Amino acid sequence: ACRDKPLSGYLVYEDGLVQGSKARLEIETGIREALENNEFDLSFQPVVCAKTGALTAAEALLRCENSRLKSVRMDHIINTAEQSSLIAEVDMWVIRTALAHMQKWCAAGLQLPKVSINISAKQLSNVTFMDQVYDLMQALPFAPSRVQLEVTETARMADVEIAAPQLKRLQNLGVHIALDDFGTGQASLTYLQRLHPDVIKIDRSFITGVNTNHANATMVSAMTVMAHCLGLKVVVEGVEDEEQLTFLRETRCDEIQGYYISKPLPAKVFTEWLGVFVSKNGAVEHVTAFED
Ligand code: C2E
Ligand code: MG
Ligand code: MG
Ligand code: MG
């Protein structure tokens, strides 16, 4: 718009800027209120072995009841939190809460193999934050190998020089590190090379239309082969139908996650589901009966 109409274009731009910062303030206020009023919650989405359907993990996903944030997408909320210092508080709340759930499940004999927790890449260079994470992982009442941290490459990605040793010392405790949304960042291979993760989570955009989109299919299998040669596990997220699952089995993807298996379930529903799963002691088929 600016290029077509230089004069009014400036006004349009400024107006958009004002609106943008208003929206941002509204979201920041919503996040602050949610933290204060206990309006955040976690949902958990099962991750299963592609071959057997056995439950391998659950990913904790943030949910929010705050009225200002009702119609805002979670990645946008996280993005806004990342632009302020709020992300540290949000991520720490998520970590503590996810670990508390894990502890409760362990105590109840509900054996979830692993809980996977998203942390903002920005936090990798926040040494105070990473020290706190380290202390928490050192004091767990269960093996740290039952915790995975998922890091997404973002524009606010920490300097790898700082991030790498932070992740390394967590890995030395046994904590797993996953590169989330793999393949969509601008430097996926650089991060793979420098951060030595245990897992890559291939972004769901690559699995969309994988049976008709030859390029997507090729990229998924190439990423899988590469990861396996590097000794890494491959998780594909966003699996929505049986054809995608069949394709992923053929390409030897290790684990899958997506609506085809289950939507993210509110903690309470996930706990009930885990109880049923443990008592059956079988593989996960569809659990879409329990929806978000
Ligand atoms: P992500 O970590 O890649 O999480 C996967 C997202 O894909 C989730 O969206 C999940 O609900 C959605 N999803 C799962 N299976 C399917 C499927 O089969 N089809 C489709 N279309 N979508 C599927 P959600 O919960 O809206 O989260 C969006 C992003 O926000 C996350 O992407 C993550 O980057 C961020 N996020 C969510 N919770 C947290 C958190 O606790 N901390 C941080 N730092 N980021 C979080
Ligand atoms: Mg994730
Ligand atoms: Mg992802
Ligand atoms: Mg994402």
Side-chain angles (χ1 to χ4, degrees):
C2 292
R3 233 174 293 147
D4 294 342
K5 282 189 259 166
L7 285 177
S8 64
Y10 177 73
L11 291 174
V12 168
Y13 175 64
E14 192 180 43
D15 204 39
L17 204 66
V18 170
Q19 270 182 18
S21 61
K22 259 191 207 154
R24 200 170 90 190
L25 270 179
E26 180 78 0
I27 296 172
E28 284 180 8
T29 306
I31 297 171
R32 280 200 190 86
E33 285 176 357
L35 284 166
E36 270 165 36
N37 307 335
N38 220 353
E39 292 168 323
F40 278 126
D41 230 324
L42 291 181
S43 279
F44 290 87
Q45 187 176 33
V47 181
V48 303
C49 173
K51 213 164 133 190
T52 65
L55 181 67
T56 55
E59 178 176 4
L61 291 160
L62 190 60
R63 295 292 177 262
C64 188
E65 283 292 312
N66 184 274
S67 55
R68 294 176 207 268
L69 304 178
K70 270 267 156 64
S71 54
V72 189
R73 278 173 43 182
M74 189 43 71
D75 42 6
H76 191 49
I77 296 174
I78 294 293
N79 216 277
T80 308
E82 278 185 342
Q83 289 172 50
S84 70
S85 53
L86 284 167
I87 191 65
E89 244 185 290
V90 173
D91 274 355
M92 193 48 71
W93 183 90
V94 172
I95 295 172
R96 288 183 190 283
T97 309
L99 294 178
H101 279 293
M102 187 66 170
Q103 186 169 352
K104 198 185 61 189
W105 293 325
C106 289
L110 302 172
Q111 291 295 325
L112 175 64
K114 202 163 62 182
V115 65
S116 199
I117 306 171
N118 293 285
I119 63 166
S120 164
K122 187 190 173 191
Q123 292 308 107
L124 299 179
S125 59
N126 180 343
V127 176
T128 313
F129 179 90
M130 293 307 285
D131 279 346
Q132 268 178 289
V133 174
Y134 186 81
D135 290 344
L136 281 174
M137 297 304 163
Q138 246 187 338
L140 292 175
F142 46 84
S145 59
R146 293 177 66 187
V147 180
Q148 174 166 284
L149 298 178
E150 300 190 7
V151 181
T152 308
E153 178 198 331
T154 63
R156 281 172 286 282
M157 184 84 187
D159 185 340
V160 278
E161 302 294 333
I162 301 171
Q166 293 295 338
L167 294 180
K168 188 73 214 155
R169 75 176 175 150
L170 288 170
Q171 284 172 310
N172 287 341
L173 283 181
V175 174
H176 299 266
I177 303 296
L179 285 188
D180 204 355
D181 302 347
F182 188 79
T184 57
Q186 289 177 3
S188 291
L189 294 181
T190 301
Y191 289 116
L192 188 57
Q193 185 184 39
R194 308 292 293 280
L195 295 182
H196 309 292
D198 304 283
V199 175
I200 61 167
K201 293 190 77 169
I202 297 179
D203 189 71
R204 70 182 163 85
S205 59
F206 291 98
I207 196 65
T208 313
V210 84
N211 293 289
T212 48
N213 187 327
H214 184 65
N216 273 1
T218 304
M219 287 187 277
V220 172
S221 31
M223 284 189 273
T224 305
V225 169
M226 178 183 67
H228 286 164
C229 289
L230 293 169
L232 311 181
K233 234 170 41 182
V234 175
V235 179
V236 173
E237 48 186 10
V239 179
E240 292 183 352
D241 59 50
E242 173 137 35
E243 275 148 21
Q244 293 172 343
L245 175 58
T246 306
F247 168 81
L248 292 171
R249 281 183 172 145
E250 282 164 4
T251 58
R252 312 261 169 112
C253 152
D254 300 288
E255 294 172 16
I256 57 161
Q257 178 181 352
Y259 295 170
Y260 184 63
I261 301 301
S262 170
K263 290 205 164 173
L265 307 172
K268 193 167 165 284
V269 181
F270 181 77
T271 305
E272 287 162 18
W273 176 82
L274 203 54
V276 174
F277 171 81
V278 168
S279 69
K280 280 209 250 163
N281 202 18
V284 179
E285 291 296 335
H286 309 260
V287 287
T288 30
F290 301 100
E291 290 201 342
D292 211 2

